[in-house]
Amino acid sequence: MKKLLTIIGARPQIIKAAALNRAIRTKFPEQLTEVLVHTGQHYDHGMSDIFFEEMGIPRPDHQLGIGSGSHGQQTGKMLEDIERVIELEKPDALVVYGDTNSTLAGALAASKLHIPVIHIEAGLRSFNKRMPEEINRITTDHASTLLFSPTKAGLKSLEREGFSTLAVAKKKGKADIDNPYVFHCGDLMYDNTLFYAKKADERMDLFIKHGIDKDNFILSTIHRPQNTDDVHVLSGILSALNEISIQNKIQVVLPLHPRTANMIERANDDGIGSLAENTLFKIIEPVGFLEMILLEKHAQMVMTDSGGVQKEAFFMQKPCVILRPETEWTEIVESGCAVLAGSDPRKIKNAFNHFSEKTDMEFPSIFGDGAAAEFICKSIIEHLN
Ligand code: UD1
Ligand code: UDP
């Protein structure tokens, strides 16, 4: 039996952890056991607890309760507490997801204690080191022993940074931090979307609750610092969405991330204030995962700066306007299913017009077969020493 210590903290990590935990519990209970550590990076009910409740994730074995703070403060506190938990639990490996401060803290704490790090969503790069996530993911990859890349582009990025191919690494010897094994495995979030898509239909009352016309809305999410920290940038994006809504008589549904909600509350800007006058613009609280995939399933189009949501738009075969200048998920842009618009109102409106007129969209199979979690478990069982 191998004992995994899994670090979660931010909303998308809790959701991703559901897929691996489900695979461990249902398919590999004799070979793997998982101890869950929640850093407390996200703590509102709608950003954390709701996912445990609706996705059947076991309650965390350790709740660190770190909360919000500056990067150094938040990461530093996590590092100290995770180190303590590792010493107590003595796991065979530590699992981290993605690129948040919780990911970085987990990878640093474990690698310094010579505990192998398993990085799920390895290799993704925006090539923009001003994003805190880019620093987190590069550092985590280079402290890891087993790296699971959801895409081929991720695998290529790792090879460019000096990681050996799996075949070469296997020839060199067993996997360890100096001889990491890199796998291309598909996307856990595709597993989750397939698993929960039908269950999501039970949440149709969401449309009535918020007065959403299920056949005529754009789904949007905004939370990146580069889109929210400067009120003029945020105001420009919201004004573009508002104009699109009014001119095309289409609703905009925006489940609001607390970072963005805080910014809007603090701002007293014309662009933001005038949203209230448009009854087609629906700003709602963050929703659970089931409601989110229901919204993605019915939306005409998705406009987002979220990494997870742009991919889920693709899974649901919906066009996506990416509210960022670059993306780690380059394949969805290359396939023509998504467009990079950044925060430029003109580009956002052009992208909406582009997809409104486009009828011939194809969504190639990029993210695996919906069994990434199983593949990851099997690889851990086989290669973790
Ligand atoms: C974090 C991740 C980001 C990820 C996102 C997912 C880092 C550096 N960033 O960004 O990569 O895409 O999570 O959503 O790790 N807040 C609340 N309640 C909560 C959580 C946050 O009010 O439950 C507010 C606080 O004011 C906090 C702010 O949101 O300061 C930002 O939270 P934080 O976790 O620092 O960053 P995110 O923007 O959520
Ligand atoms: N999500 C959700 N409710 C919301 C907004 C997002 O359940 O109100 C889910 C979404 O379906 C995706 C994940 O949260 O699975 C993405 O998280 P987020 O956008 O916070 O972070 P990112 O993926 O950009 O790191």
Side-chain angles (χ1 to χ4, degrees):
M1 177 74 86
K2 283 174 175 145
K3 180 175 178 180
L4 306 178
L5 192 77
T6 297
I7 307 294
I8 52 180
R11 165 169 70 189
Q13 297 168 326
I14 303 169
I15 299 172
K16 285 165 200 165
L20 196 73
N21 185 269
R22 192 168 60 244
I24 293 174
R25 275 188 289 119
T26 59
K27 302 215 163 85
F28 305 98
E30 309 293 328
Q31 294 105 319
L32 295 174
T33 179
E34 186 177 39
V35 174
L36 277 179
V37 182
H38 192 326
T39 62
Q41 178 168 352
H42 287 174
Y43 43 84
D44 290 348
H45 179 267
M47 296 293 289
S48 176
D49 277 2
I50 191 169
F51 303 106
F52 290 90
E53 290 159 9
E54 67 175 21
M55 300 178 84
I57 311 164
R59 287 281 145 193
D61 301 277
H62 300 270
Q63 171 55 263
L64 306 182
I66 305 291
S68 306
S70 68
H71 286 280
Q73 198 180 42
Q74 190 180 49
T75 314
K77 284 186 190 163
M78 289 175 186
L79 194 52
E80 191 177 350
D81 282 11
I82 294 171
E83 184 176 68
R84 183 177 46 73
V85 176
I86 294 174
E87 280 170 341
L88 186 78
E89 292 283 357
K90 303 191 176 13
D92 296 300
L94 176 131
V95 175
V96 284
Y97 294 96
D99 51 23
T100 72
N101 288 345
S102 299
T103 315
L104 176 67
L108 286 180
S111 56
K112 297 279 181 85
L113 293 173
H114 306 153
I115 300 295
V117 175
I118 298 170
H119 187 200
I120 299 178
E121 264 194 13
L124 298 171
R125 298 289 181 265
S126 64
F127 302 101
N128 172 4
K129 287 196 183 131
R130 294 186 65 85
M131 280 182 83
E133 291 84 358
E134 187 77 347
I135 305 293
N136 292 347
R137 47 174 99 96
I138 293 173
T139 310
T140 300
D141 279 340
H142 287 266
S144 293
T145 290
L146 300 181
L147 294 88
F148 293 95
S149 172
T151 60
K152 283 191 187 146
L155 202 66
K156 272 197 198 140
S157 293
L158 290 173
E159 285 169 15
R160 266 199 307 272
E161 287 174 23
F163 285 86
S164 299
T165 62
L166 183 58
V168 170
K170 278 184 177 169
K171 267 194 201 142
K172 283 192 206 159
K174 289 183 172 178
D176 70 27
I177 192 169
D178 289 314
N179 186 39
Y181 280 16
V182 170
F183 303 86
H184 173 216
C185 65
D187 198 313
L188 280 174
M189 285 309 299
Y190 187 47
D191 300 18
N192 262 341
T193 303
L194 293 179
F195 188 81
Y196 289 104
K198 222 173 150 32
K199 221 173 149 41
D201 291 338
E202 293 165 14
R203 302 298 175 96
M204 294 289 273
D205 57 344
L206 171 83
F207 294 120
I208 298 165
K209 183 175 157 198
H210 295 293
I212 298 168
D213 176 351
K214 70 175 176 39
D215 301 316
N216 187 36
F217 72 94
I218 295 167
L219 174 66
S220 182
T221 74
I222 304 165
H223 75 275
R224 295 284 164 194
Q226 60 269 50
N227 284 341
T228 56
D229 286 0
D230 180 336
V231 70
H232 297 292
V233 174
L234 180 59
S235 168
I237 297 173
L238 293 173
S239 301
L241 292 177
N242 201 27
E243 256 182 63
I244 290 169
S245 164
I246 291 167
Q247 282 170 8
N248 299 278
K249 298 191 173 44
I250 186 166
Q251 290 183 337
V252 173
V253 177
L254 179 67
L256 206 56
H257 189 287
R259 174 191 282 278
T260 319
N262 290 342
M263 199 60 209
I264 290 180
E265 206 167 283
R266 266 186 278 149
N268 186 15
D269 184 273
D270 285 351
I272 291 177
S274 67
L275 292 179
E277 291 157 22
N278 176 13
T279 54
L280 296 174
F281 209 110
K282 310 267 177 200
I283 297 185
I284 63 176
E285 293 280 310
V287 295
F289 184 65
L290 295 178
E291 292 184 336
M292 193 62 186
I293 41 180
L294 186 68
L295 288 168
E296 290 162 352
K297 211 170 169 179
H298 287 271
Q300 310 299 298
M301 199 180 291
V302 175
M303 296 191 166
T304 186
D305 60 10
S306 158
V309 177
Q310 56 185 277
K311 253 183 317 162
E312 287 159 11
F314 184 90
F315 300 158
M316 295 294 179
Q317 308 209 333
K318 297 299 161 79
C320 182
V321 179
I322 302 175
L323 303 173
R324 283 181 49 199
E326 76 281 305
T327 179
E328 302 76 35
W329 308 101
T330 47
E331 286 96 337
I332 65 173
V333 174
E334 283 155 13
S335 68
C337 302
V339 162
L340 293 167
S343 56
D344 180 341
R346 194 181 45 84
K347 285 191 186 162
I348 296 171
K349 288 183 262 180
N350 286 346
F352 173 83
N353 293 336
H354 165 75
F355 281 130
S356 299
E357 287 156 17
K358 202 165 156 64
T359 47
D360 58 335
M361 290 186 64
E362 276 182 36
F363 294 81
S365 170
I366 294 168
F367 294 101
D369 56 4
E374 199 173 326
F375 176 91
I376 291 170
C377 289
K378 282 186 186 156
S379 307
I380 294 174
I381 293 164
E382 191 178 342
H383 298 295
L384 183 66
N385 303 299

